[in-house]
Amino acid sequence: MSGTALTLDAQPGGRSALIALPGVYRPQADTRLLAHALAQEDLGPGSEVLEIGTGTGALALDAARRRARVTAVDVSWPAVVTARLNALRQRLPLRVLHGDFAARSAGRRFDLVVSNPPYVPAPDVLPPSRGPERAWDAGPDGRAVIDRICDNAPALLRPGGVLLLVHSQMCGAQETVDRLTEAGMAADVTARAAVPWGPVLRSRRSWLERAGLATGAEEREELVVIRAR
Ligand SMILES: C[S@@+](CC[C@H](N)C(=O)[O-])C[C@H]1O[C@@H](n2cnc3c(N)ncnc32)[C@H](O)[C@@H]1O
């Protein structure tokens, strides 16, 4: 797989001014890597953009700042309220919907779909239905939401439309590329970055090792951006 390694010091406009209600995922290295990829996309005024799992709205607002027409979806009410507040504070138009992305975007098509979904492997088979863990826990292989995004992507995109997805190599970049290819899309890894393990990975190190997803010496994970069209 190809890919460009990036440093993660970019702070796209407005990011520092974002607020986050308790329990809402704050922009992190994965957000920044995806923001960098989003900045390279050709977004004309009036382009229709969907963000799946918007959290604070950071990425959706990056697109809105470029005059795209942006719809953002999140299953978490605190995230929805946070994204709406950030849009108001930045005086940017943003449609923020509450619910599962598939239900809330059904029947609509977009020029660009962007997502930093939950992707951390977790012992529980079912993803959590409440709490801040909904932002990261994604079943034993970390793919509970990623696979659904891959399967839904062709129906969400207009002809020539682009999907941008970030996740950890721990849950399989090649699996995502293969799944998107099976869905009829041309997919590739376009960016990579190695980042230190965060507190969630550190707290479940022994389970990750037993599951064969990590070795004892590992302290960094690789993030990947996958672009499909
Ligand atoms: C890793 S956070 C990313 C937040 C933000 N986009 C960012 O990059 O900083 C993932 C977000 O996806 C939301 N989410 C989880 N499952 C979802 C689903 N099925 N549909 C829509 N949003 C979902 C979570 O509530 C959380 O806000």
Side-chain angles (χ1 to χ4, degrees):
M1 281 178 290
S2 61
T4 310
L6 290 170
T7 53
L8 295 176
D9 55 359
Q11 288 288 345
R15 180 70 40 78
S16 58
L18 293 172
I19 59 159
L21 291 179
V24 176
Y25 188 88
R26 290 166 189 270
Q28 298 183 27
D30 47 9
T31 318
R32 292 192 288 275
L33 188 64
L34 191 54
H36 192 279
L38 178 61
Q40 292 169 49
E41 293 296 328
D42 186 16
L43 276 188
S47 297
E48 294 266 5
V49 173
L50 172 68
E51 188 192 0
I52 296 172
T54 197
T56 59
L59 295 159
L61 291 170
D62 279 357
R65 205 168 288 115
R66 294 167 65 192
R67 307 209 180 163
R69 293 209 304 239
V70 188
T71 302
V73 184
D74 206 293
V75 280
S76 148
W77 268 117
V80 168
V81 173
T82 293
R84 286 178 181 163
L85 285 172
N86 281 320
L88 281 172
R89 280 162 56 90
Q90 300 199 9
R91 299 175 191 212
L92 288 168
L94 181 62
R95 188 166 184 234
V96 190
L97 305 177
H98 174 254
D100 176 68
F101 78 91
R104 297 314 312 263
S105 57
R108 291 193 59 198
R109 286 183 183 265
F110 301 87
D111 300 295
L112 189 133
V113 175
V114 62
S115 186
N116 175 11
Y119 57 74
V120 177
D124 292 334
V125 174
L126 289 181
S129 56
R130 55 192 305 139
E133 297 81 10
R134 272 192 302 192
W136 52 82
D137 279 358
D141 61 2
R143 300 193 57 87
V145 181
I146 294 171
D147 283 345
R148 293 183 56 230
I149 292 175
C150 292
D151 296 346
N152 279 276
L156 287 173
L157 290 169
R158 292 178 174 158
V162 168
L163 169 70
L164 286 178
L165 192 58
V166 69
H167 63 70
S168 172
Q169 175 66 50
M170 196 177 277
C171 50
Q174 191 59 50
E175 280 88 336
T176 302
V177 169
D178 290 347
R179 196 153 183 130
L180 289 164
T181 306
E182 279 163 27
M185 302 184 71
D188 208 351
V189 176
T190 55
R192 298 172 183 274
V195 299
W197 274 24
V200 177
L201 285 183
R202 290 202 301 273
S203 72
R204 59 184 65 147
R205 177 181 286 282
S206 50
W207 177 80
L208 289 166
E209 286 175 24
R210 284 199 305 281
L213 293 166
T215 64
E218 225 165 313
E219 286 183 349
R220 291 173 84 79
E221 65 172 329
E222 186 176 46
L223 301 177
V224 294
V225 172
I226 290 160
R227 183 180 192 273
R229 59 183 303 151

